[in-house]
Amino acid sequence: MNSETSTLAIPTRHSAWNLWRNPIFRRYCQSRLRPRALAIWLLLTVLVSGFISVMSYVIAIQQHERIEERTLFEASKDGTAVIDKSAEKIQATENIARGFVQGLFVFQGVILFMIGTAMVSGGMTAERDEGVIDYQRLVPMRPIAKVIGYLFGLPVREYVMFFLTLPFAGWLIWRGGIPVSTWLPVYTVLLSSALLYHFTGLLIGTVAKNRRWAFLASIGTVFALYTVIPQLSKFGLVFFKYLTVQPVVLEVYPSLLPKDLGAALETARRLAPTAKFFNLEFPELVFTLFSQLGLVITFAIMLCRKWRRAESHLLGKVWATGFFAWIQILLLGNALPLIDPGTLFPSREMRKWSIEFLAGWKPDPMEAVALSGLYGLTTLAMLIVLGGIITPDTESQIRGWRRARKQGSTSLPLLSDAATSFWWVVVMALAGALGWFLFTRGLVESRWFGAVLPFQVFGYFVAVLLVLGVSNQVLLEAKGLRAVALAGILVGVVPLMLGAICVPLEKPVLSAWFFGISPAAMPFFASASEIPIAELPLEIARAVPRAFHFWLAIGGMATLWLVAQLRTTRKAMADDVLSAPAESAPPLGS
């Protein structure tokens, strides 16, 4: 009896990769695949897929009838025998099927990307609101097994809907004569992108506090990925387009068009550059999977950390710093090879069919300055986001010091969540400044301008990222998120409003001084002030460097003061917790 009891008491450890035996996945299979609710969605899926397929078939029959009527008319007119037009009919069938299969691809994307991602984020938020997450933490499963269970369980209905569309897609692919080399990459990147977006929705649902906002945020994220984010690739940030299916679809798109049109487009596409990573040419599919895989792994680590401890940061300090460096390498690897061909510059895409382009196009120097400023702003945004992820709040610091006291230690481990993120933000700022400098040097010293970028520019880039990144981190760690939000409004938004008001008043100098206060404008001011090819109007050319140096000095002094305040605050907190007895330690949030 005792042996039986002890055997029954041993908890079952579920394999992370055995999906069907995953209890979370099976629970959602039972709840989201109930016949009554599932039948409505499947009926809708069949109706849309069937409509697309039947329309393709009907139009093809009509096209065949027109071909036969034209053939009979020509034979009767010339008095000749009727010519067999079966080859023309086959060609017409293929062209029509290729057009309609594109619509079915879009419908499959809506199912997986929009509906599936929204269900994942909204379902995860509902789980937390209902207290199910707290119960699941007690289940003897590895965190990755729980993540996989929710990742494939929450959108299981959408996967069933997607698989239901495959027979219709297969029929259209067969009728269209679409080769395997075309549809296989499309479906590969379709599934990999769905996995990435579902991870994004799962992460949003984990951290969002409201189900409605989680639902809208997930849909908004996917919408931005296909509207706003791809536009960044036109301004030097080429990496972001590889988070979508766009590069792969454009690469195989000639095979999805009628053969005559597709052949012409294929000839033009071969002239276009392939995906380059530091002059290493990759197929679009390979580089897309490589880019998305890094984000998938990072999101999985974030979710696993949250499952281990609810109060954990989304990322550890080492991984956040490495992830920041990895993004910098991807941005540089994509952008630098496109400078000399000129495809990095937005004006080339806008004017490539104009007479000016045919006569001889050349980028404007201020276009390079603007691209450099945009790269600096993007780097600053990533620094603030990742720095905020690893920065501990007051409650986290107090818990860390209490844990250190129990362990008989007088300091916090360097890699713990409660430890300061100051030095890690400094390292990220240095790495970001290096990437910013290399990108700017590639622009300035390219064959288009032939100038030399002084090394002192690197020092200014370091100063900008240190002042803005460290001040944000210090204020967040010492005062909290509300103080950062208030500072962002007063220092970041209000000066931009004042500067914009001065523009129609024709006060460019005053406008430049107001704009220079905002952290959002400082990377552009740094590029315009320190890059030797900058060509500004005389009055603005004097005001911008002066405003930049003045506000950078003010920001540097303010940052040093904040650092000193943070050091004093952390030392006082450590002394209070370590010197107080366990029962009288300061409560959380005090």
Side-chain angles (χ1 to χ4, degrees):
M1 184 68 179
N2 292 337
S3 60
E4 294 179 0
T5 304
S6 61
T7 303
L8 293 174
I10 298 176
T12 304
R13 300 290 291 184
H14 298 277
S15 172
W17 311 111
N18 191 347
L19 187 60
W20 182 244
R21 298 192 62 184
N22 190 305
I24 298 176
F25 175 76
R26 297 188 67 172
R27 177 167 69 91
Y28 279 107
C29 287
Q30 295 172 359
S31 62
R32 299 213 66 215
L33 299 182
R34 290 173 180 167
R36 179 177 298 180
L38 180 64
I40 298 176
W41 288 99
L42 295 187
L43 177 62
L44 177 63
T45 304
V46 171
L47 285 176
V48 175
S49 303
F51 171 76
I52 294 174
S53 302
V54 171
M55 283 292 294
S56 170
Y57 180 76
V58 171
I59 294 177
I61 290 179
Q62 290 181 341
Q63 189 69 19
H64 292 174
E65 293 176 352
R66 292 192 184 100
I67 293 173
E68 291 177 356
E69 292 175 357
R70 187 177 70 249
T71 303
L72 292 174
F73 175 76
E74 293 174 353
S76 63
K77 180 181 179 181
D78 300 335
T80 59
V82 177
I83 302 174
D84 183 19
K85 294 288 186 176
S86 58
E88 186 177 350
K89 292 179 181 178
I90 294 174
Q91 183 68 45
T93 300
E94 290 183 352
N95 293 342
I96 293 169
R98 290 184 178 197
F100 278 92
V101 78
Q102 297 177 42
L104 192 55
F105 285 158
V106 173
F107 180 56
Q108 291 172 330
V110 170
I111 291 174
L112 290 180
F113 297 168
M114 303 294 290
I115 303 176
T117 305
M119 290 298 104
V120 170
S121 61
M124 195 64 187
T125 307
E127 290 277 283
R128 191 181 66 246
D129 293 342
E130 295 168 3
V132 179
I133 296 297
D134 296 330
Y135 165 76
Q136 289 290 351
R137 294 186 191 280
L138 304 177
V139 176
M141 296 171 60
R142 285 186 293 174
I144 188 63
K146 298 176 184 179
V147 170
I148 291 176
Y150 279 108
L151 181 67
F152 293 101
L154 285 167
V156 65
R157 181 189 297 167
E158 286 66 38
Y159 277 113
V160 172
M161 295 168 59
F162 168 75
F163 287 127
L164 189 59
T165 64
L166 292 181
F168 299 94
W171 184 75
L172 288 173
I173 289 171
W174 171 72
R175 284 179 63 87
I178 300 174
V180 178
S181 59
T182 297
W183 61 262
L184 185 59
V186 170
Y187 275 110
T188 301
V189 74
L190 191 72
L191 293 175
S192 69
S193 298
L195 185 66
L196 173 62
Y197 304 156
H198 292 173
F199 261 113
T200 305
L202 196 60
L203 186 62
I204 292 174
T206 301
V207 300
K209 296 182 179 180
N210 183 279
R211 184 177 183 179
R212 180 182 302 173
W213 284 112
F215 187 88
L216 295 175
S218 60
I219 293 180
T221 300
V222 176
F223 180 78
L225 282 171
Y226 285 88
T227 54
V228 179
I229 300 300
Q231 305 307 316
L232 296 177
S233 64
K234 300 178 181 179
F235 297 92
L237 305 176
V238 187
F239 161 72
F240 291 101
K241 74 177 182 180
Y242 292 100
L243 304 181
T244 69
V245 301
Q246 177 185 357
V248 175
V249 171
L250 292 180
E251 186 179 40
V252 302
Y253 194 62
S255 299
L256 297 174
L257 294 174
K259 288 189 175 180
D260 295 338
L261 181 59
L265 185 61
E266 176 67 17
T267 302
R269 191 192 64 79
R270 291 180 183 276
L271 301 176
T274 56
K276 290 187 176 181
F277 184 69
F278 293 112
N279 289 320
L280 299 175
E281 296 187 359
F282 293 98
E284 297 285 5
L285 176 62
V286 174
F287 196 79
T288 299
L289 294 178
F290 173 75
S291 302
Q292 294 182 356
L293 181 62
L295 286 177
V296 166
I297 294 175
T298 301
F299 289 163
I301 290 176
M302 290 180 175
L303 292 167
C304 287
R305 287 177 60 88
K306 279 295 183 181
W307 273 109
R308 289 191 182 97
R309 290 178 60 234
E311 64 272 11
S312 292
H313 294 169
L314 288 174
L315 284 177
K317 294 177 171 58
V318 175
W319 190 274
T321 306
F323 183 67
F324 180 87
W326 178 73
I327 294 293
Q328 286 291 319
I329 293 173
L330 288 179
L331 289 174
L332 290 174
N334 285 144
L336 293 180
L338 301 180
I339 294 178
D340 282 342
T343 53
L344 186 74
F345 299 94
S347 62
R348 185 180 187 275
E349 294 298 317
M350 298 176 183
R351 304 175 184 175
K352 64 180 179 181
W353 304 116
S354 65
I355 299 177
E356 178 185 352
F357 178 77
L358 296 175
W361 168 87
K362 186 178 181 180
D364 186 86
M366 288 308 298
E367 189 175 4
V369 173
L371 289 176
S372 172
L374 179 61
Y375 190 100
L377 179 62
T378 304
T379 300
L380 175 62
M382 291 190 299
L383 176 64
I384 290 175
V385 171
L386 291 175
I389 288 176
I390 62 176
T391 298
D393 56 14
T394 302
E395 294 183 0
S396 178
Q397 295 175 55
I398 292 177
R399 281 194 297 264
W401 284 114
R402 286 176 174 175
R403 192 177 300 110
R405 183 189 59 194
K406 292 178 181 179
Q407 296 173 353
S409 176
T410 58
S411 62
L412 295 175
L414 180 63
L415 303 181
S416 68
D417 286 351
T420 181
S421 61
F422 173 81
W423 295 111
W424 300 97
V425 171
V426 169
V427 171
M428 285 191 281
L430 293 175
L434 179 60
W436 187 9
F437 176 77
L438 293 177
F439 177 77
T440 305
R441 188 178 68 176
L443 290 171
V444 174
E445 300 182 1
S446 66
R447 69 183 183 90
W448 301 108
F449 308 109
V452 177
L453 186 67
F455 188 74
Q456 68 182 25
V457 176
F458 174 68
Y460 281 105
F461 288 172
V462 170
V464 169
L465 293 183
L466 280 179
V467 167
L468 300 180
V470 170
S471 60
N472 176 81
Q473 178 272 330
V474 170
L475 192 61
L476 180 62
E477 188 169 331
K479 302 297 183 180
L481 185 59
R482 290 185 179 180
V484 173
L486 180 61
I489 294 173
L490 296 179
V491 181
V493 178
V494 173
L496 293 179
M497 293 179 175
L498 296 175
I501 291 173
C502 294
V503 171
L505 297 178
E506 297 183 356
K507 297 183 180 296
V509 175
L510 186 60
S511 176
W513 278 88
F514 278 129
F515 280 133
I517 302 175
S518 175
M522 190 166 286
F524 294 95
F525 272 57
S527 298
S529 301
E530 305 304 327
I531 295 179
I533 62 173
E535 298 178 355
L536 295 171
L538 181 60
E539 193 174 10
I540 299 178
R542 293 176 179 175
V544 167
R546 294 173 182 174
F548 168 67
H549 292 108
F550 176 80
W551 292 121
L552 183 63
I554 296 297
M557 291 186 288
T559 301
L560 293 176
W561 180 79
L562 289 173
V563 171
Q565 292 295 313
L566 175 64
R567 186 175 183 276
T568 302
T569 302
R570 287 188 64 90
K571 188 176 184 302
M573 180 187 299
D575 293 340
D576 290 343
V577 175
L578 294 178
S579 60
E583 61 273 9
S584 60
L588 294 178
S590 62

